[in-house]
Amino acid sequence: MQWFTAPDYWFAREVFQRGLAIVYLVAFAGAARQFRALIGASGMLPVPRFLARTSVRRAPSIFHLHYSDRFFAGVAWFGAALAVALAAGADDRVPLWAAMLLWLLAWVLYLSIVNVGQVWYAFGWESLLLETGFLAVFLGNDRTAPPILVLWLARWLLFRVEFGAGLVKMRGDPCWRDLTCLYYHHETQPMPGPASRMFHRLPRPLHRVEVAANHVVQLVVPFALFTPQPVASIAAAVVVATQLWLILSGNFAWLNWLTILLACTAIDARAAGAVVPLPAPPALPGPPPWFLAAVLAFTVAVVVLSYWPVRNLLSSHQRMNASFNHYHLVNTYGAFGRIERRRFELVVEGTSDPVLTERTHWREYEFKGKPGDPRRMPRQWAPWHLRLDWLMWFAAISPTYARAWLGPFLQRLLTNDPATVRLLRHNPFPDSPPTYIRVRHFRYRFSTKEEFRHDHVWWHRTPVGDYVPPIALDSLR
């Protein structure tokens, strides 16, 4: 069975599985904390209403069997507890078949959440977590050496993530081809972090070097993942370094962390031992025949399902993030095929005045992650995913993105809905809801050095106009 196993990757498997369990924990806990306002029975896009018009075939989910907010919360918190157990190594303390079932259960639970999450879960890293999580089912535990076929499938997934992102950039916005995209990206990205302003203020020649380096990492380095060691480990280390750079420059939920974990599967113990001291490798027996058969069947399935993402990669009309099946397996990936040149933000304001006049005093709602108060420094939230904040960024670009949920969101603010205001950093009406609410459209840019020094502001904003004019609860109903 030497051809089937890769004992030199025991440490890579350990890092991958423990890290993946932590990402699962973040994803399940985030779902439990945010779902009531977003997709709960009384949420903006209620799950029961979605299930009533969607078949189980189109959206496989255990919630087709039963839905209540209490049941959803139980599923999410149970998933979080399972993730904690997996992070602590519970899969290594049970037989191989039981370890596979534990990872499969985590995948089923999160698939059930994603498939009823609607627009709130329409992000590429949801599919990436599910595809990565399904790989973990077939990596085994310390009862057997890592199967080399699954390690190669992990590299194939990493290749699609990186190469797909590189291709969609080259085919998309011209600024990627003339190396100028980073003149804008750090300022206009969905959710800047505390270092984003510094990255934006770097010299423009350095921005051009960054873009050129990005093209090399995404379009050239992925091919080296399939070369012999130590070249594959070096290529994986380059991917890890690049992803850490992206983590410093912005907030992209768990996308970068999952990419790092996938890259770790290409680093063998010899390469890892040159960087960090490792214990003696464990004695790992060969796989049982049934496990060998399961891995071979899974590999064949991935090869077959790879037809659609490969066709997409070769297409001049490449899609950025897409699943070709309802189980989110063997997907296509990509990001930022188009870069915004200007940043727009939506500012939600309310008033308690019974009658609107020119002297009406408006108070601003503060969101947790997205820019609002120009004096507030952006925070580092990733890998936590603030779903409402992300959708507000899309809505600022075009009302099309907000058509389904913005009205219900404002309606819930006008009633001080507890689940909704918990999604916010600050509710200016803690005692009683406002009588009117409005949404204003602003142009934001990072402050200059002089503005930052004199006014202590991170942002400078200029009003564009009303996005939603003043509206009362009766009008929304």
Side-chain angles (χ1 to χ4, degrees):
M1 293 293 181
Q2 290 184 350
W3 67 270
F4 181 78
T5 59
D8 287 345
Y9 290 85
W10 65 271
F11 183 70
R13 178 175 65 184
E14 191 70 15
V15 171
F16 173 78
Q17 289 184 328
R18 303 311 143 228
L20 176 60
I22 293 172
V23 175
Y24 261 136
L25 171 61
V26 172
F28 279 119
R33 297 277 296 172
Q34 301 178 56
F35 85 94
R36 291 184 187 274
L38 304 179
I39 59 174
S42 300
M44 303 175 212
L45 300 176
V47 170
R49 190 172 66 192
F50 173 76
L51 293 175
R53 65 175 188 269
T54 308
S55 68
V56 66
R57 185 182 63 83
R58 295 192 60 183
S61 173
I62 61 174
F63 297 115
H64 281 281
L65 301 175
H66 170 72
Y67 182 84
S68 70
D69 285 355
R70 180 175 295 181
F71 181 62
F72 188 102
V75 167
W77 285 120
F78 178 78
L82 176 60
V84 170
L86 290 170
D91 54 329
D92 285 335
R93 295 174 175 85
V94 297
L96 178 58
W97 63 267
M100 295 178 70
L101 288 179
L102 289 177
W103 284 107
L104 182 62
L105 178 58
W107 178 82
V108 168
L109 294 179
Y110 199 66
L111 175 71
S112 296
I113 292 174
V114 169
N115 277 347
V116 299
Q118 303 164 80
V119 68
W120 306 106
Y121 281 78
F123 294 90
W125 49 74
E126 309 292 358
S127 296
L128 182 59
L129 176 53
L130 288 169
E131 185 173 352
T132 305
F134 205 75
L135 279 175
V137 175
F138 298 91
L139 263 179
N141 60 2
D142 63 3
R143 307 294 177 98
T144 184
I148 194 167
L149 289 176
V150 181
L151 292 171
W152 280 101
L153 293 180
R155 297 188 199 188
W156 169 230
L157 172 53
L158 178 60
F159 178 89
R160 281 181 280 124
V161 170
E162 289 290 292
F163 193 66
L167 279 182
V168 82
K169 290 180 175 68
M170 295 301 289
R171 288 169 171 159
D173 202 313
C175 70
W176 289 114
R177 297 190 291 275
D178 64 23
L179 308 182
T180 61
C181 271
L182 291 189
Y183 293 0
Y184 322 101
H185 169 68
H186 296 302
E187 183 176 70
T188 63
Q189 64 181 305
M191 196 179 301
S196 299
R197 182 179 174 275
M198 179 196 71
F199 277 86
H200 178 68
R201 294 299 176 194
L202 291 174
R204 286 196 164 187
L206 184 55
H207 283 319
R208 297 171 69 88
V209 171
E210 284 184 272
V211 176
N214 176 83
H215 292 333
V216 173
V217 171
Q218 293 190 324
L219 295 173
V220 179
V221 170
F223 289 94
L225 294 168
F226 302 103
T227 60
Q229 298 291 2
V231 178
S233 291
I234 295 172
V238 171
V239 172
V240 169
T242 305
Q243 294 301 315
L244 291 173
W245 182 268
L246 294 174
I247 288 170
L248 286 175
S249 67
N251 285 288
F252 301 100
W254 49 78
L255 171 64
N256 308 117
W257 292 107
L258 277 180
T259 307
I260 288 172
L261 293 174
L262 287 168
C264 287
T265 64
I267 302 175
D268 64 2
R270 184 179 305 175
V275 179
V276 295
L278 297 181
L284 298 172
W290 64 265
F291 183 65
L292 171 61
V295 169
L296 288 174
F298 173 57
T299 303
V300 171
V302 171
V303 170
V304 172
L305 292 174
S306 294
Y307 167 77
W308 288 274
V310 169
R311 186 177 68 172
N312 182 69
L313 285 174
L314 299 177
S315 171
S316 58
H317 302 288
Q318 179 189 358
R319 299 164 67 185
M320 281 200 294
N321 290 297
S323 296
F324 302 100
N325 55 78
H326 302 303
Y327 298 94
H328 298 268
L329 297 178
V330 197
N331 313 290
T332 191
Y333 301 96
F336 295 108
R338 179 177 180 271
I339 295 295
E340 300 297 321
R341 275 25 176 208
R342 298 184 297 172
R343 181 179 198 92
F344 293 97
E345 288 290 344
L346 300 184
V347 174
V348 183
E349 298 174 330
T351 181
S352 297
D353 294 358
V355 179
L356 296 179
T357 67
E358 292 183 356
R359 294 189 173 185
T360 293
H361 175 60
W362 293 94
R363 286 181 278 176
E364 182 176 334
Y365 289 86
E366 274 290 326
F367 290 75
K368 292 181 178 179
K370 85 174 199 68
D373 183 353
R375 295 165 296 181
R376 184 162 61 92
M377 180 182 74
R379 287 184 56 186
Q380 187 68 36
W381 283 94
W384 193 262
H385 185 194
L386 297 171
R387 300 183 184 279
L388 176 61
D389 295 61
W390 267 79
L391 265 293
M392 290 293 289
W393 178 80
F394 282 105
I397 296 174
S398 170
T400 303
Y401 294 109
R403 185 172 296 145
W405 56 268
L406 185 58
F409 171 58
L410 299 179
Q411 181 178 348
R412 282 154 180 77
L413 291 183
L414 283 165
T415 60
N416 259 1
D417 175 60
T420 302
V421 297
R422 274 199 297 268
L423 298 178
L424 305 175
R425 179 175 182 266
H426 171 64
N427 175 18
F429 304 93
D431 301 319
S432 60
T435 53
Y436 290 91
I437 204 162
R438 68 179 182 180
V439 183
R440 303 182 69 199
H441 211 185
F442 281 85
R443 161 84 189 280
Y444 272 63
R445 63 167 175 79
F446 275 128
S447 61
T448 63
K449 291 181 180 179
E450 292 74 18
E451 290 168 337
F452 185 78
R453 186 184 309 115
H454 294 299
D455 302 326
H456 307 290
V457 293
W458 288 82
W459 298 96
H460 180 275
R461 68 185 187 184
T462 306
V464 176
D466 279 348
Y467 192 90
V468 176
I471 194 167
L473 182 60
D474 289 342
S475 301
L476 277 173
R477 282 175 177 163

